[in-house]
Structures are given as C-alpha cells and as structure tokens.
Amino acid sequence: MHTPVSGAPAGAGGVAEARGSQSSRGPSHVPAGAGLERIRTVVVHDHDDIARLVAARIAEVVREKQARGERAVLGLATGSTPIGVYRELIRLHREEGLSFRNVVTFNLDEYYPMAPDSIHSYHRYMWENLFAHIDVAPEHVHIPDGTLPRERVEAATAAYEAAIAAAGGIDFQLLGIGKTGHIGFNEPGSGVDSRTRLVHLDAVTRKDAAADFFGEENVPREALTMGVATILGAREIAILATGEHKAGIVRRAVEGEVNIEVAATFLQRHPNTTFYVDDAAAADLTRIATPWLLDEVEWTQDLMIRAVVWLSLTTGKGILKLTQFDYAEHRMSSLVARWGTPGAVNGEVFNLLGAKIRGKSKLPRELKIVCFSPHPDDDVISMGGILYKLVQNANDITVAYMTSGNIAVFDHDVRRFVDFMERLDRERHVGGDSLRAFADRVRTCLHEKKPGDVDIPEVQDIKRVLREAEAVSGIEVMGLGKENARFLNMPFYQTGKVRKDPIGPADVKIVRDLLEELQPDMILVAGDLSDPHGTHRMCKEAIDAALAEIRAAGGKLPEVWLYRGAWQEWPVTEATYLVPMSQEELKIKIQAIFKHQSQKDSAPFPGQDEREFWQRVEQRNKETSATLDRLGLAEYFAMEAYVVA
Ligand code: F6R
C-alpha cells in the first residue's frame, strides 16, 4: 500500500522510510488516513542517529555549494531537538575540516522581548551551541532581534524576509516541532501565507517552556518568527522529533489532513521535506503502531502480542473471546492462519501475558540490587511497589540517587528551613554566630534573586541536603534506612541551571566505581526518555556507558530492569514483567512519595500534567492492572511495569 521513496539521505543505514500514497483502499474499519504518510518519514533508533544523518546532509549541502563557489543558506532552529545536530556539525568542522565560511544562516525565531545575552535568548543559544565553535562569519548570521521597540518590529520583519530573498532563499531548513504542531513559532491558526512577524505564543508552548524559565509566568507571551510561507520557501527541509511526548503530534503532522490548526501539516505541500524521528517519536505512526492494517506483516512474537492486545481492546472483548470474524474484520487473518485457529492464537497470547506477572514469590530474593534514581524521588514514584517487595525478599539494596535534584526546590522552602535552623539555634544554642551569618547571606541572596538566576552555593547546598533528607525518609517507609542510600551528585547536573552539561567521563566513572564496588546482580534504571528536562535520559546514558566499560573490561554485568512512571508507564505489551500491588502496598508507595515534601502540592517541573506525582502514579498503576482486566486476565488492584533490557 505504501511505496518506498528513492533518494534516501546519504548514510541512511538501518533506516525505515516510507511515503504513503494518498489513496485509501483499506476496508472501512481501517481508520481514515491510516498508512498515509504524507511527508517522507525516516525512522531511526535514537537522537544520535538523527544527529548524524541530518548533520551529514547539511555538510553535503555546504560542500556542494562550496564546490560551485556559492554560499549555502541554512535556516536554523533552537530548542532541545537540534542540539545533537549542532554537536555533530562542530565535530565535522573540527575533525573533518568542514568549513562554514561560505555559509549564511537565518534563525527561525526569537522570543519577544528578549535581550541577546539572556540565558533564554536564542541568540545566546546559537552562539553557545554552534556559532562560537565553527568558522561562520558573524556578519553572515541572522537571528530575529528581540530588543526592537514595538514600532520598529514590522519594518524589521519585512527586512528579515528581504534579507532571505537577497541571500538567494534558504537551501536547507532545519525544524523542530512543538506539541501544538508549531514549526518556528507558527502556532495554531498560522496561515500558509504567513511571513516573518510578531506572534502570540500558545498556552501549551508557554507551559512547555515553563521549566526553562523557572515558572510559566516568566515565559514571554510573544515571539518573532519566520512564517509558514517563509519556511515552505526553503529548497529542502528537515524536521526532527525525538521522544515519546512527540509521538502524537508526529502522527498528526505526517498522517493527518492539512489543517491551519497544525502548522507542520503544511509541510505535506512541500516537495522536499524529510521528517526524521526516533523510535519513540515514531511510535504512533500507523506503520509502527498497527502495521497489519496496512500490509502483510512478518508475525514476530512481539508483533503478535501487540496485535492481539490491540484487537482485544478495540473490540472490547477479552483475548480468549476473540473470534475468526474479529481477526478477519481487522486484517489479522494471516495470524490465525499461522496458528491454525483463533483459539490457538488467543491462548498463546493470553499465556505470554500471564507469564509476565511477577508477584513477590517470583521476584528476586537475597540478591545484591542497585536502584538508580535520577532524582531523589524517582525511586519511590516509579518503583516503590517493587522496592517494597524486594526489601521483604531480603535483598541487599542500595538506592543510588544520581543527581541532587536541587534546582527543583522552591526558594520559599529554603527560607522556611533557614528560619527553622535559626529558631532551633535560639532555643537550643546549636548554631551560633556562623549559623546566623550563613542565614543572613542566604536570605539576602534569595531576596535579590531574579527568575533564572543561578543560586549561590549555600542555597544550592541547602536545596540538595533538603532533598537528600526527603529521600532517606522516603525509603524508610519501604523498610530501608540511610545506610541504603548513596548520593552520587553527578557533575553533569551541577550547572545550577535547567540546561545540563553533556555526560562526561567523570559522570561515567562515578557510576562505574559504584557498580564495581557493589557488584550488583540486578540494577533498576529509569527508562523514560521524555522527562521535561532530559535528566533521566542523561542518567541512563551514563549507566549505559559505565556498563559498556565494565563489559569491555570483562567485569560482572548485572541484569538491567528499566522502569518508567514519573511521566508515563510501559504498555503491558512492551513490559517484560508486571508487578502487582495490593491496595495496602499502593498506599505504602504513596506514603513514601509524600515524604518528598518539596515536590508536593506543586512541583517546579511538573511537565504538562497538572496532577501531583502521587496522583499520576496511582492512576497509571491502576490503569495497568485495569488493562489486564480488560484483556480478560486476572484483576489486580494496581501494577508496575518493567522492561528487562
Ligand atoms: C525553535 C522553534 C520551535 C522548536 C519546537 C520544538 O527555534 O522554532 O519550533 O523547534 O518548539 O522544541 P524542542 O526541540 O525543544 O522540543
């Protein structure tokens, strides 16, 4: 039904690509538009693969132009997604002699108003992440000016368009995609004819940026952005998306109808656009989520489980009640043909799912276990249920808190604890002059602090210690104590800012040293890739690197269990193990989460979800067990899910 497109980008090894035909000839129950990839889409494993592919293509464009003695005009984006591309371009410049002397750049957008030296400015972002490290001529760099007085904005945006035209138009445009489907800051309602202009930011976009700005109230309400028409004027476009949180909007942009409410859908009308997505962002595409609706498929065990679970949930029938008619109606007859009868498929999948359930008696006993927790609360939020059972099973457990989580503590909590220390000092004489001087300094700094300012070391320490104490209190609920906690304080996190440093050898060494010291049989690792600030992903990167070093040195490798939970949960189809919890056990887990008082009521980095962490956890854990119930398996109160890597 879909035809692969020729001319895949250079070096696209191991890449899954397709562009759907525009015609739908599936049976009527197939959702309209299924399989219609209206933008050429390249699916790769992770963001590093995207960075390599896209940077290689940019290098090709730059070199082709160089060879012809011409300038290459690049349209550039900011945000978290293109960072890897810029890193790779810097590497190509340093190690492979790629020169940017013939390159002219135009950035998509800038907040308004915005001073260029602000930590939030896209000027600063571009210089820090790319321009300062390559040989581009500063006079060739164009970024919308966030400092203009309002009355000069219109003339300046028209001049921006004129400058793009004078440069000969954009040869290669790099784009990210926002959750609203914006490209640049073309929010819902931006027309196909829109040009560079001042726009209002959508509420969803401002919420998304809230963490970076230390609060939604500090996010600018407006921005300067190239228009949809400006973007579509580029000769080649690469749009990038990574992470589970982008999966829904990727599907909408790639498979949905063109609609003014989703600016990225206009790219369907562009003749040379490629959408680069990692596995996580591709997950909702029809060819990944329900490929049997599109074409003949190779029925692997994983695909069979996914398809039968989907069929059961779609028809609202338990797995063991699915009939030949259900399979035929949903283009799954070939699966029945392979197994002989519907009953045989049903039974196989039912048993495979049932075998995933691991109560206390089927969980490890008397082993050495390390639970890696990116922040001091992910342990109880994401694996509180299993932790409790593992303690009861007499395992030797260490909880390793990888970062201090100190940027996520509110200043008012610091003031409260300083007040507490002073009161105690006055009554019990436990601090004296040095405590009073310390308290004065902290109070003064907090008073003078502006949103986004980095805390002084004393305040950073108070916030760290506060979270350490909460972490110990949390695991005490599980039956552990402070002797079971290790605080790794990994250097990559210690910027005092939301944006972290890349994982470096010092981070990897800390993890490796711990693993070599403790020699665990099993480790639990956060496997969610789309936390709002990227810390979970970076922590996993450090653990993976440490394990690779241990493997290379012939050391002992533990079994790795990946958990999720803070932002989303593993689906039952992907989970290797499902760990049931009784009502009492879920209560204990929630009690442990409550111990993280600094994150209660309203956390500084809640993501898009308005609910408190314990509420999300309760809902997700109950949803997992409810799914098993709907599939016709046993009905548990709640469940956590784990993937064994
Ligand atoms: C940035 C821009 C935006 C971002 C989009 C995705 O210059 O124009 O459209 O590309 O908001 O942002 P990230 O990559 O941070 O998810």
Side-chain angles (χ1 to χ4, degrees), residues 291-312:
W292 54 89
L293 294 180
L294 301 178
D295 224 332
E296 281 302 308
V297 290
E298 196 67 50
W299 285 110
T300 60
Q301 189 179 81
D302 280 353
L303 196 58
M304 170 179 73
I305 295 176
R306 271 210 286 136
V308 173
V309 166
W310 173 85
L311 185 61
S312 165

Side-chain angles (χ1 to χ4, degrees), residues 76-82 107-109 122 175-179 182-186 205 225 240 245-246:
L76 299 177
T78 57
S80 56
T81 319
N107 260 83
L108 280 166
D109 41 21
Y122 286 172
L175 296 176
I177 182 169
K179 285 220 204 92
H182 71 209
I183 46 176
F185 276 134
N186 291 288
T205 300
T225 181
L240 282 43
H245 60 307
K246 296 282 173 78

Side-chain angles (χ1 to χ4, degrees), residues 580-609:
M581 279 177 284
S582 64
Q583 183 176 18
E584 298 70 43
E585 286 170 325
L586 182 61
K587 255 198 195 135
I588 289 171
K589 172 174 172 168
I590 291 173
Q591 287 300 329
I593 298 172
F594 283 169
K595 299 295 177 191
H596 293 268
Q597 282 181 355
S598 66
Q599 305 302 297
K600 244 192 85 39
D601 301 333
S602 73
F605 300 104
Q608 288 283 349
D609 198 329

Side-chain angles (χ1 to χ4, degrees), residues 368 515 519-523 547 550 555-560:
K368 261 188 180 282
L515 290 172
Q519 299 279 327
D521 305 291
M522 168 183 174
I523 62 175
L547 289 173
I550 293 172
K556 174 179 169 184
L557 286 171
E559 186 165 278
V560 181

Side-chain angles (χ1 to χ4, degrees), residues 248-261:
I249 195 64
V250 166
R251 177 183 167 133
R252 177 69 190 85
V254 172
E255 296 186 4
E257 300 284 334
V258 172
N259 190 310
I260 195 166
E261 292 304 309

